[in-house]
Amino acid sequence: MLSGLAHAQTAPAPTAPAPASQVLAVPAPVQEVRTIRSIRVEGSQRLEPETVLSYTRLRVGDTFTNETVDQAIKDLLASELLADVSIDTTGGNLVIRVRENPVINRVIYEGNKRLKQDKIAKEVKLAPRQIFTRTAVRADVARIIELYRRQGRFAARIEPKMVSLDQNRVDVIFEIDEGPKSKVRQINIIGNEVFSDGKLRGEMATKTSSLMNILSSNTSYDQDRLAYDQQKLRQFYLTEGYADFRVISAVAELTPDKKDFIITYVVEEGPRYKFGPVTVDSAIRDFDDKRLASALSIKEGQYYNAKAVEDTVEQLSETAGAFGYAFADVRPDFQRDREALTMSMNFHIGESNRTYIERIEITGNRQTQDKVIRREFRVAEGDAFNTFLVKRSQDRINSLGYFQDKFEIERKEGSAPDRIVLAANVEERPNGELTLSAGFSSLERFILQASIRQRNFRGMGQTVSASVDYSSYSKSVELGFTEPYLFNTNIALGGTLFRQDYNAFNYIGSDRSTTYSQVATGGQLVAGLPLTEYWTLSARYTLRQDNVTLDRSSFYSDVDGDGDFECDPLKAGRYYCEAVGNRITSLVGLSLIYDSLNSRLRPSRGQRLSAGVDFAGLGGEVKYLRARFEGDKYWNVGSGFIFSLSAEGGYIHSLEKTRAGVDPVRITDRFYLGEPQFRGFDIRGVGPRVQRIQLTGDPLAGTQAMVTGDDNIVDDALGGKAYYLTKAELEIPLGAGAAEMGLRPSIFVMAGSLFGITRPGRTVEFAQATDSTGKLLFNKDGSPTLLPKDNFLKDANGNQLYVYTDPTTGVQSATPCTVGFGTTLTNCVGTTINPIANNATAPFLERFVGDSAKPRISVGFGVNWNSPFGPLRIDVAKTLVTVDGDDDKLVTFNVGTQF
């Protein structure tokens, strides 16, 4: 071979390539094969030598080559137990020198504020007492960055560090720079001609970062939301008739500073289609195709709407279900004419068997008894299937409030094609409510509230409640129990026992004075009897004792000078003096109720109407007839918006004798209107009232004037005999995060009024001053000039009293003597001339205002929050129309009300 090769190098260059058979192959170098005489492991601390050898194929007595040694080094490093490996093969005596990877002592996270340590620790692989490897560190850094990207923080940076410790241990430190949340700076749309960029952005879930969207959680970039927005755009165009619409591309570009994203959509709108002929082809003999087609909401000539097509499929399915065909197959067939730009529709209803309910399965109820759920079903096992009745059963179970939101009855195929199984898989929620709260307000001073309520007592659907409210000016205790199905019959019976102490008060400057105290003790029994599926007759009986008193030190005086203290109208007002007393009310009432709401707790569709009448006079001292009406209607207007209209009103007529200047309906039995029913107005801020305005100065000297300022006006709300209140409200949906928090904002407009009482007589008739010609005088502020009211005092015998002043001591005493002093007219001693004893009343203006049926109007917005502390509502309302005397209020805050 060598001679041939040498020869080839010295021969002349050939004129043509040599044949392939003449090309010489260069042999591979021959590796030396040696035998392993011994193996020794050096440098291992935690690992046993046998453990190190177990990761290699090297064994004493075996042969080895350089490739065998290289493979052994690779196998040892692949174990991730060792940081460095070398093998000395001198003389066949192998020495494996290793440097072990350190053991992790601690994993420390620094700089993480938006992500808690426990959430990061669940994702990373490194942990104490594990082997440290750089590969594992790099993988964990990638995992942490991915966690921050899911939160929209694409600028997050992670720098891992290692701190060496003794015994070959290390602390791993992840220094985290979370960076700002990456927002969507701009959304560009290319290719749209029919709809503006702003209109299309409004259809998207993603919003651009701006002051207008400062409270929105959708301004951060989210890859999943990007795909969702593409679907939203397609849905929007399909509902507007653009059946060929498509999103060509959607690109999200991160700005160089990694703080913001710029999203660009390229779309193709295509032409707009209209519906062509709309027909129904039914394989079910019970259905008339033409009648079904004529009843559909979509008609030929209307613009194509994919949502209307879906609704029509659901409508036909429910129609079939109402006739017992539970599994009717409704399929829309589309016939597109691209030249005429029409979309003809044929809804094919496949052949189906009439379905019967094989059984009703109830699962998931651990506390609630089966009968509590079954008695709400409007269908029974063996009945023909009916979509309407199943839907009604679902609404009634939802209205119980015992189970998860949006509970649905699942339909499953039975043992035969004409059998169906209704499955109610419920998820129980806590039905016990314990509320403890304490606070302080300028109005009520110290406030303490405690209540306990169980809406599903013993799992039998019974309601048990107890509450205690205490403050400086109101106290109440109430116990209640309701059995919705008495003796397993369709009759509800409930009862309440209560004790209520209430104090009404007024402010004069910064001082508060109690006007009257009302103590009500009694109870009520209520029974309800369903007449039909939606109509219910409710009867009630109430027995209560009201004891109205006034503070004797503030509102009582010796009016007649006979030594007997009585309620002084000058201090309390005639209307309050007339309310003083102890009375028993025995009342019986009836109500007729229509209720088709899909949920009593949070309705989104349906209506509720109630008309009731109460008669007080079945015993007791109080006699009147009272009528009330309430109505609510809800519409689900799509996209989570709920619109509602509500109205209520009432009228009370006394059956007692009337007196001039005194309304026969007692002030404690009248209607009152204001916060919280009428948003935008203060408590009892609407309706008839008497205002007393003090006058200062000398009327004869021309210096008399009104004391201005609301704090200096005595304002007594008198209530009314008639009222009405209406409201229109739109509930606005929020994102999933806000919904989970229980936030439900709404905007509203309200109108109402309270009126209809007899004009009360004046407490005091003050004479108006006149000039020398007899012309009436008026003050500079336009108020009439009033003179004090003389009140000449007399003794028990009717003798005029005079004021005697002792010349020695200066002490004044009342005496019938015109000169001197004495207890009778016959024993007068002294020469002092006495002035007449006159307890004159200072003049004041008394105005009767607010008694008008004119509607008061307010608009505003509010937020319901199902907080951990109980249901809260905050309203901001502005009054647009008021009547003289009304008290408005911009912000109201209610705790614990039902919404």
Side-chain angles (χ1 to χ4, degrees), residues 634-682:
Y634 295 83
W635 293 269
N636 192 335
V637 294
S639 302
F641 289 89
I642 299 174
F643 179 69
S644 64
L645 289 175
S646 64
E648 62 177 287
Y651 181 78
I652 182 170
H653 175 70
S654 176
L655 301 177
E656 302 178 25
K657 295 180 180 180
T658 61
R659 291 178 293 165
V662 178
D663 197 293
V665 178
R666 291 178 174 83
I667 195 171
T668 54
D669 297 324
R670 299 171 190 167
F671 297 113
Y672 290 90
L673 194 59
E675 183 190 353
Q677 312 103 299
F678 203 161
R679 304 167 194 170
F681 291 90
D682 207 343

Side-chain angles (χ1 to χ4, degrees), residues 142-157:
R143 290 189 185 95
I144 297 173
I145 289 178
E146 180 61 27
L147 285 177
Y148 277 102
R149 286 188 172 182
R150 291 177 192 172
Q151 284 199 343
R153 299 183 181 276
F154 287 79
R157 293 185 297 107

Side-chain angles (χ1 to χ4, degrees), residues 26 74 382 541 651 663 674:
V26 179
K74 293 179 180 179
Y541 175 75
Y651 181 78
D663 197 293

Side-chain angles (χ1 to χ4, degrees), residues 390-563:
V390 172
K391 180 64 176 175
R392 177 61 180 168
S393 303
Q394 181 175 296
D395 291 345
R396 290 180 64 92
I397 295 175
N398 271 319
S399 293
L400 293 175
Y402 303 159
F403 311 113
Q404 74 272 24
D405 292 334
K406 298 182 180 179
F407 160 79
E408 293 185 359
I409 297 176
E410 183 182 358
R411 308 171 190 178
K412 300 189 296 186
E413 295 183 356
S415 58
D418 62 344
R419 295 290 183 268
I420 187 173
V421 176
L422 300 181
N425 184 15
V426 300
E427 180 182 338
E428 291 183 322
R429 64 169 63 174
N431 292 304
E433 301 172 5
L434 176 62
T435 303
L436 296 173
S437 62
F440 181 87
S441 77
S442 59
L443 188 66
E444 293 279 344
R445 300 294 191 258
F446 181 74
I447 303 170
L448 176 65
Q449 297 175 331
S451 66
I452 184 170
R453 184 186 182 203
Q454 174 57 254
R455 294 185 294 111
N456 190 13
F457 185 58
R458 299 186 300 162
M460 298 177 64
Q462 300 167 337
T463 300
V464 178
S465 63
S467 64
V468 176
D469 292 347
Y470 175 85
S471 71
S472 300
Y473 286 86
S474 65
K475 308 170 185 63
S476 68
V477 177
E478 185 174 304
L479 302 174
F481 177 80
T482 301
E483 169 57 69
Y485 281 80
L486 184 64
F487 305 125
N488 293 322
T489 62
N490 206 11
I491 299 177
L493 182 66
T496 303
L497 296 175
F498 58 85
R499 167 66 181 257
Q500 300 168 344
D501 294 4
Y502 174 76
N503 294 300
F505 45 82
N506 256 320
Y507 281 98
I508 301 298
S510 59
D511 297 329
R512 174 167 53 182
S513 61
T514 301
T515 53
Y516 74 90
S517 299
Q518 179 181 356
V519 178
T521 307
Q524 184 181 61
L525 285 176
V526 180
L529 175 64
L531 302 178
T532 66
E533 176 61 27
Y534 298 107
W535 289 96
T536 301
L537 181 66
S538 175
R540 56 191 168 274
Y541 175 75
T542 304
L543 181 65
R544 61 182 291 163
Q545 181 185 48
D546 291 287
N547 186 17
V548 178
T549 59
L550 297 173
D551 183 15
R552 296 185 65 86
S553 62
S554 300
F555 300 105
Y556 278 64
S557 63
D558 187 2
V559 178
D560 300 328
D562 57 2

Side-chain angles (χ1 to χ4, degrees), residues 35-305:
T35 302
I36 300 175
R37 296 181 179 179
S38 64
I39 302 176
R40 187 172 76 253
V41 177
E42 294 181 355
S44 59
Q45 298 178 1
R46 300 185 312 276
L47 300 175
E48 297 292 335
E50 291 78 5
T51 302
V52 176
L53 289 176
S54 67
Y55 286 94
T56 70
R57 299 179 183 178
L58 302 177
R59 300 292 184 269
V60 176
D62 291 349
T63 60
F64 73 95
T65 63
N66 290 341
E67 285 186 352
T68 305
V69 173
D70 290 343
Q71 185 62 44
I73 293 175
K74 293 179 180 179
D75 292 341
L76 288 171
L77 292 176
S79 69
E80 294 190 348
L81 298 174
L82 305 172
D84 189 29
V85 178
S86 65
I87 300 179
D88 186 359
T89 61
T90 304
N93 297 312
L94 274 61
V95 179
I96 303 176
R97 296 184 177 89
V98 299
R99 181 163 57 85
E100 296 177 347
N101 272 328
V103 175
I104 298 174
N105 179 53
R106 291 184 302 167
V107 179
I108 303 172
Y109 306 95
E110 295 181 353
N112 57 306
K113 297 179 180 178
R114 302 296 179 179
L115 278 179
K116 298 301 181 183
Q117 179 173 328
D118 55 351
K119 189 171 184 178
I120 300 176
K122 292 178 182 178
E123 296 291 331
V124 300
K125 302 298 183 183
L126 294 180
R129 296 183 297 278
Q130 290 186 355
I131 302 300
F132 171 86
T133 64
R134 298 185 182 277
T135 302
V137 171
R138 286 193 293 269
D140 282 348
V141 168
R143 290 189 185 95
I144 297 173
I145 289 178
E146 180 61 27
L147 285 177
Y148 277 102
R149 286 188 172 182
R150 291 177 192 172
Q151 284 199 343
R153 299 183 181 276
F154 287 79
R157 293 185 297 107
I158 315 297
E159 184 177 350
K161 291 186 177 180
M162 182 184 71
V163 178
S164 299
L165 305 175
D166 57 355
Q167 299 180 355
N168 200 23
R169 296 175 302 133
V170 293
D171 284 342
V172 180
I173 302 174
F174 291 103
E175 293 186 352
I176 301 173
D177 180 6
E178 297 179 319
K181 202 167 189 177
S182 300
K183 303 289 186 179
V184 176
R185 179 186 298 177
Q186 188 174 341
I187 299 177
N188 300 320
I189 304 174
I190 301 174
N192 56 309
E193 297 179 358
V194 180
F195 298 102
S196 66
D197 290 5
K199 175 64 176 177
L200 297 182
R201 292 191 195 104
E203 297 294 325
M204 300 178 187
T206 303
K207 305 299 179 184
T208 57
S209 178
S210 64
L211 291 177
M212 296 293 293
N213 300 320
I214 191 171
L215 298 178
S216 175
S217 61
N218 292 343
T219 57
S220 60
Y221 172 73
D222 188 313
Q223 180 69 29
D224 295 335
R225 197 183 298 131
L226 183 68
Y228 176 71
D229 284 339
Q230 296 180 59
Q231 184 64 23
K232 290 282 288 182
L233 283 175
R234 177 164 175 77
Q235 288 177 357
F236 171 71
Y237 271 93
L238 288 179
T239 58
E240 295 293 332
Y242 296 88
D244 295 334
F245 172 83
R246 65 192 183 103
V247 179
I248 298 176
S249 66
V251 179
E253 297 177 288
L254 188 61
T255 57
D257 57 6
K258 295 186 178 182
K259 292 183 179 180
D260 297 310
F261 275 90
I262 298 176
I263 302 176
T264 303
Y265 293 94
V266 179
V267 302
E268 182 180 316
E269 293 178 326
R272 193 177 191 185
Y273 287 77
K274 290 185 177 182
F275 280 115
V278 180
T279 58
V280 176
D281 175 19
S282 174
I284 300 176
R285 297 180 180 178
D286 293 345
F287 294 160
D288 185 328
D289 296 350
K290 293 184 179 180
R291 292 184 61 184
L292 282 177
S294 63
L296 298 181
S297 58
I298 58 177
K299 304 294 181 182
E300 183 178 357
Q302 295 177 348
Y303 282 109
Y304 173 75
N305 188 325

Side-chain angles (χ1 to χ4, degrees), residues 534-538 591-597 606-612 628-634 645-648:
Y534 298 107
W535 289 96
T536 301
L537 181 66
S538 175
S591 292
L592 186 62
I593 303 169
Y594 175 84
D595 190 347
S596 63
L597 297 178
Q607 57 188 340
R608 187 181 190 277
L609 306 174
S610 173
R628 292 192 65 181
F629 167 82
E630 296 179 1
D632 302 279
K633 187 170 178 60
Y634 295 83
L645 289 175
S646 64
E648 62 177 287

